[in-house]
Amino acid sequence: MKIDVVGESQLIGYPTQFPSVSMMNWENNKPNARFWVLKLIKDSFHPGDSLVETTFTGEHAEDLLRRLS
């Protein structure tokens, strides 16, 4: 699976501007989990990288997949 673009919708969202999608906490100006995940992806993947498909097998695979969905 090739990755063409990775992005986030807004840096700071005040309470009246969809704060649930912002990357910064508007009250303390600190990055939240969305910011750090995007940074991790940006720092870890490079042009031409691709993701490989994974599978779950074994005794607890169905339970794990059920929890993830």
Side-chain angles (χ1 to χ4, degrees), residues 26-51:
W26 72 276
E27 293 176 325
N28 62 19
N29 297 321
K30 292 185 179 180
N32 63 22
R34 287 180 194 85
F35 173 91
W36 293 114
V37 167
L38 184 60
K39 182 176 180 353
L40 179 65
I41 291 170
K42 176 194 154 303
D43 294 347
S44 300
F45 290 96
H46 302 90
D49 286 355
S50 60
L51 297 176

Side-chain angles (χ1 to χ4, degrees), residues 11-33:
L11 183 61
I12 297 177
Y14 296 97
T16 59
Q17 301 174 333
F18 304 102
S20 61
V21 296
S22 31
M23 295 188 298
M24 303 286 280
N25 181 321
W26 72 276
E27 293 176 325
N28 62 19
N29 297 321
K30 292 185 179 180
N32 63 22

